[in-house]
Amino acid sequence: MSPNVKFEVVNFGEAERRLAAAPAEGERPITLIAFVGAKLALGGETSTILRDAEPQIARAAAAAKFAGKRGTSLDLYAPAGLDGVGRLLMIGVGPAGDGDNGGASPERFDDYLGLGGQLAARLGQGANAIALFDVPEPPADASAAAGQLALGATLRAYKFDLYRTKKKKDDPEREGASEIALAVAEPEAARAAVDGALGLAEGVVIARDLVNEPANVLYPEEFARRAAKLADLGVEVEILDVPTLQTLGFRALLGVGQGSAHPSRVVVLRWNGAAPDTQPVAFVGKGVCFDTGGISIKPAASMEDMKGDMAGAAAVTGLMHALAVRKAKANVIGVLGLVENMPSGEAQRPGDIVTSLSGQTIEIINTDAEGRLVLADALWYVKDKFKPAFIIDLATLTGAILVALGQEHAGLFSNNDELAGRILEAGKATGEKLWRLPMGPAYDKLIESKFADMKNTGGRHAGSITAAQFLERFVDKTPWAHLDIAGTGMGSPASDTNQSWASGWGVRLLDRLVKDCYESA
């Protein structure tokens, strides 16, 4: 979907010139945004620009009991002393309360990300704004902070209203994109940071759009067509159809989709940003475009949410977009396993035994434990064909992870401590948090089968762990991590940077992982 906020980076001199100029006839009035610290402290540039309005600001702040605390704001309309400004929006960046040692901090990634979200929420849509990025206690890297501000604002402004035909014409939040001129001290560096942040935001928005789409619109073939648009950015795209998958031996994946009228697909995305002999890294996404549970059908309540059971594949698609936009200096493989799990006369049954691409046999105990079957073939294919430095899979895999972690953390499972540690650090840096859970032989025994090499569920106990144990059997000794995002990829709690049902979770996390640890100089 089109962005609801657009950024331009200017210097403070240009901001002053625009504020001094008389608005053209028919032009939207300017909204001036200023960031305010404790006790109404202002940055030097901001203080100069607002000097003629300071008496009114002081009176309004006293009346509204606005003291510049983080998370608060003050609105003044047609402020005296600021000709041409229709609205002055002051956003607090000072300490939020007792025990809070300061305002926005350069050490905390999410401070400026969240600040951008708060800005977008208070600004609304359709505004013509100038934002004075001049906080009272400047961050160590003001340009990077400006990029995070732009990222947070763009993500917060996102709306998925494609199918709403009765939109209120008088709703100010639906008057088109807000245009923000971000005034900074060093425009060139800030412009590069903002451009990079907006490319990342595009990747998150792509993931959100995919997860929000209804399943009658986004089925495997359509998902594959949308992913194929990444070719416009230089990503190599290969789409494997059912005959090809049958020839290759993707029997576990195809078993999941055999009950659906929509044929399955596997999409292979390749970004070649490093030297040809550089070992690639790989990301695999579960893409169950709708999950009824198959013959082991789910309860009707909330089944509509199963349109989001492809959030892992959506995140991989968004990640590949973000990497390509910023021309990441890494070789990256993205694989999407796209199926629809439906009950029909041709559907897979409990008790069936399938032979996976790896040659290992799987007894189907529950057809609703389908995502691990999709991933099993996809993981083996990636491991065997591309021999990556690591594989990370993302999947809305188990309800058990919601019981364990709620929606605050995704579950992390790994056979490699170094990889797991790097993912956890990227999670801390981006605010997309994870919690590592244990694995081991005792859990692995729970998926042993009397009739095949393994069964596709280990029962109620340790459900997320036994699912991870299942996946580990398809990576051999390749460093691997499994991210169970059932609690974070859809049905997202509202936050400063997201008001959407779909979060796009994982795009920022994995982009940061690649950037910090796997790109060549």
Side-chain angles (χ1 to χ4, degrees):
M1 299 182 70
S2 299
N4 290 320
V5 60
K6 298 177 181 178
F7 277 92
E8 176 190 7
V9 177
V10 300
N11 60 32
F12 288 110
E14 173 62 16
E16 288 192 77
R17 188 196 66 76
R18 293 186 186 187
L19 289 168
E25 186 176 350
E27 186 179 33
R28 292 176 293 179
I30 291 175
T31 295
L32 180 61
I33 302 166
F35 299 102
V36 185
K39 300 179 181 179
L40 302 186
L42 300 174
E45 296 285 355
T46 304
S47 182
T48 299
I49 291 171
L50 297 184
R51 61 182 178 273
D52 293 337
E54 282 186 359
Q56 185 182 0
I57 292 170
R59 290 193 301 272
K65 296 182 179 180
F66 174 73
K69 289 183 179 180
R70 188 187 320 147
T72 65
S73 63
L74 177 68
D75 259 317
L76 287 82
Y77 289 90
L82 291 172
D83 295 339
V85 175
R87 176 190 179 195
L88 173 61
L89 172 59
M90 307 189 76
I91 298 176
V93 296
D98 293 340
D100 188 331
N101 294 321
S105 161
E107 285 72 46
R108 294 229 5 230
F109 177 97
D110 59 348
D111 277 342
Y112 290 102
L113 189 76
L115 188 61
Q118 293 164 25
L119 183 158
R122 287 160 174 76
L123 183 63
Q125 285 184 226
N128 173 25
I130 296 174
L132 305 175
F133 191 55
D134 175 40
V135 296
E137 297 181 13
D141 188 340
S143 296
Q148 296 315 309
L149 183 88
L151 175 60
T154 304
L155 295 181
R156 175 59 182 259
Y158 171 85
K159 286 181 173 65
F160 187 82
D161 56 6
L162 184 62
Y163 300 104
R164 292 185 59 186
T165 61
K166 297 179 180 179
K167 301 172 185 176
K168 296 180 182 178
K169 293 181 180 179
D170 60 346
D171 186 344
E173 291 190 350
R174 300 188 184 282
E175 294 178 355
S178 286
E179 297 179 356
I180 302 175
L182 190 63
V184 298
E186 298 179 2
E188 187 173 346
R191 191 172 293 115
V194 168
D195 288 346
L198 296 181
L200 178 57
E202 288 174 3
V204 176
V205 166
I206 285 170
R208 288 181 181 177
D209 281 349
L210 289 167
V211 175
N212 279 325
E213 284 281 15
N216 62 317
V217 172
L218 192 77
Y219 40 87
E221 308 102 304
E222 175 61 19
F223 196 134
R225 280 193 287 270
R226 296 193 187 191
K229 294 178 182 178
L230 292 175
D232 295 339
L233 298 175
V235 177
E236 294 181 10
V237 180
E238 182 182 12
I239 299 175
L240 308 180
D241 60 14
V242 171
T244 303
L245 295 170
Q246 288 171 334
T247 300
L248 291 171
F250 279 72
R251 289 173 288 270
L253 181 148
L254 290 171
V256 175
Q258 71 188 39
S260 173
H262 293 293
S264 301
R265 294 286 185 269
V266 169
V267 180
V268 181
L269 306 168
R270 301 187 65 175
W271 171 252
N272 300 311
D277 59 348
T278 302
Q279 191 176 17
V281 297
F283 301 93
V284 176
K286 171 190 171 184
V288 179
C289 295
F290 195 81
D291 181 23
T292 65
I295 296 299
S296 306
I297 197 164
K298 294 176 180 291
S302 298
M303 194 193 288
E304 67 274 11
D305 288 350
M306 290 299 99
K307 71 176 187 175
D309 207 17
M310 33 55 71
V316 172
T317 305
L319 171 66
M320 296 301 289
H321 176 96
L323 295 174
V325 165
R326 68 175 177 82
K327 301 189 184 306
K329 296 177 181 179
N331 293 335
V332 185
I333 308 295
V335 173
L336 319 176
L338 306 175
V339 302
E340 189 177 64
N341 188 21
M342 298 289 284
S344 76
E346 296 183 354
Q348 188 165 248
R349 296 154 291 242
D352 284 1
I353 294 177
V354 296
T355 302
S356 67
L357 178 61
S358 71
Q360 298 174 91
T361 56
I362 305 165
E363 180 187 8
I364 308 302
I365 300 298
N366 187 328
T367 63
D368 195 23
E370 85 300 329
R372 65 202 71 183
L373 301 174
V374 173
L375 292 173
D377 280 348
L379 287 168
W380 189 269
Y381 179 76
V382 169
K383 176 212 62 109
D384 205 42
K385 183 176 178 65
F386 299 108
K387 298 176 175 51
F390 70 71
I391 306 174
I392 296 175
D393 74 76
L394 299 91
T396 49
L397 206 65
T398 66
I401 206 68
L402 274 158
V403 176
L405 300 177
Q407 295 184 288
E408 294 301 311
H409 293 77
L412 167 62
F413 305 84
S414 184
N415 65 0
N416 186 278
D417 291 342
E418 181 182 38
L419 176 60
R422 288 177 171 180
I423 296 170
L424 288 168
E425 286 302 311
K428 291 177 183 177
T430 58
E432 294 196 322
K433 298 177 289 187
L434 305 105
W435 194 268
R436 189 176 182 184
L437 283 84
M439 299 179 68
Y443 295 114
D444 204 57
K445 288 181 180 179
L446 297 176
I447 58 171
E448 291 181 353
S449 167
K450 295 178 181 178
F451 304 105
D453 295 328
M454 70 196 82
K455 54 187 179 181
N456 77 324
T457 178
R460 288 178 58 81
H461 293 171
S464 297
I465 298 174
T466 54
Q469 295 288 165
F470 181 95
L471 297 177
E472 187 182 24
R473 296 187 179 203
F474 298 90
V475 297
D476 280 344
K477 297 187 182 301
T478 302
W480 156 83
H482 160 56
L483 310 185
D484 193 333
I485 63 171
T488 57
M490 56 182 176
S492 310
S495 71
D496 281 339
T497 55
N498 185 37
Q499 300 290 301
S500 166
W501 183 76
S503 64
W505 195 97
V507 176
R508 293 189 296 112
L509 168 81
L510 298 177
D511 177 79
R512 183 63 175 257
L513 175 72
V514 172
K515 181 181 292 185
D516 285 354
C517 304
Y518 296 101
E519 286 196 56
S520 57

